[in-house]
Coordinates of all heavy atoms in Angstrom, one line a residue:
M146 N 52.3 67.5 5.4 CA 53.8 67.6 5.0 C 54.6 67.4 6.4 O 54.1 67.7 7.5 CB 53.9 69.2 4.6 CG 55.4 69.4 4.3 SD 55.6 71.0 3.3 CE 54.6 72.1 4.4
N147 N 55.6 66.5 6.2 CA 56.4 66.1 7.4 C 57.8 66.6 7.4 O 58.7 66.3 6.7 CB 56.5 64.6 7.2 CG 57.1 64.0 8.5 OD1 57.0 64.7 9.5 ND2 57.6 62.8 8.4
I148 N 57.9 67.9 8.1 CA 59.2 68.5 8.2 C 59.7 68.1 9.6 O 59.2 68.3 10.6 CB 59.0 70.0 7.9 CG1 58.5 70.3 6.7 CG2 60.3 70.8 8.4 CD1 58.2 71.7 6.3
P182 N 51.0 74.8 4.0 CA 50.3 75.3 5.3 C 50.6 76.8 5.4 O 51.7 77.3 4.9 CB 50.9 74.5 6.4 CG 51.7 73.4 5.8 CD 52.0 73.7 4.4
S183 N 49.6 77.5 6.1 CA 50.0 78.9 6.3 C 51.2 79.1 7.1 O 51.6 78.1 7.8 CB 48.8 79.6 6.9 OG 48.7 79.2 8.3
I184 N 51.8 80.2 7.0 CA 53.1 80.5 7.7 C 52.9 80.3 9.2 O 53.6 79.7 10.0 CB 53.5 82.0 7.4 CG1 54.1 82.0 6.1 CG2 54.7 82.3 8.3 CD1 54.4 83.4 5.5
R185 N 51.8 80.8 9.7 CA 51.4 80.7 11.1 C 51.2 79.3 11.5 O 51.6 78.7 12.5 CB 50.3 81.5 11.6 CG 50.4 83.1 11.5 CD 49.3 83.8 11.9 NE 49.3 85.3 11.5 CZ 50.0 86.2 12.2 NH1 50.8 85.7 13.3 NH2 50.0 87.3 11.9
K186 N 50.3 78.5 10.7 CA 50.2 77.1 11.1 C 51.3 76.2 11.0 O 51.6 75.5 12.0 CB 49.2 76.5 9.9 CG 48.8 75.2 10.3 CD 47.7 74.5 9.3 CE 47.4 73.1 9.5 NZ 46.5 72.5 8.7
L187 N 52.3 76.4 10.1 CA 53.5 75.7 10.1 C 54.3 76.0 11.1 O 55.0 75.2 11.9 CB 54.2 76.0 8.7 CG 55.5 75.1 8.6 CD1 55.2 73.6 8.6 CD2 56.3 75.5 7.2
A188 N 54.5 77.3 11.6 CA 55.2 77.7 12.7 C 54.6 77.0 13.9 O 55.6 76.7 14.8 CB 55.2 79.2 12.8
K189 N 53.4 76.9 14.2 CA 52.8 76.5 15.3 C 53.1 75.0 15.3 O 53.4 74.3 16.3 CB 51.3 76.7 15.4 CG 50.6 76.2 16.5 CD 49.2 76.6 16.5 CE 48.5 76.0 17.9 NZ 47.0 76.3 18.0
E190 N 53.1 74.2 14.2 CA 53.3 72.8 14.1 C 54.6 72.4 14.4 O 54.9 71.5 15.1 CB 53.0 72.3 12.7 CG 51.5 72.2 12.4 CD 51.3 71.7 10.9 OE1 52.2 71.4 10.2 OE2 50.1 71.8 10.6
L191 N 55.6 73.3 13.9 CA 57.0 73.0 14.2 C 57.5 73.7 15.5 O 58.8 73.4 15.9 CB 57.8 73.7 13.0 CG 57.6 73.0 11.7 CD1 58.4 73.7 10.6 CD2 57.9 71.5 11.6
Q192 N 56.7 74.5 16.1 CA 57.0 75.3 17.4 C 58.2 76.0 17.2 O 59.3 76.0 17.9 CB 57.3 74.2 18.5 CG 56.1 73.4 18.8 CD 56.2 72.4 20.0 OE1 57.4 72.1 20.2 NE2 55.2 72.1 20.6
V193 N 58.2 76.9 16.1 CA 59.2 77.9 15.7 C 58.5 79.3 15.5 O 57.4 79.3 15.5 CB 60.0 77.4 14.5 CG1 60.7 76.0 14.7 CG2 59.2 77.3 13.3

Side-chain angles (χ1 to χ4, degrees):
M146 185 166 46
N147 189 21
I148 294 176
S183 72
I184 290 171
R185 291 184 192 283
K186 182 177 179 183
L187 185 60
K189 186 176 180 180
E190 286 176 10
L191 298 176
Q192 298 180 340
V193 298

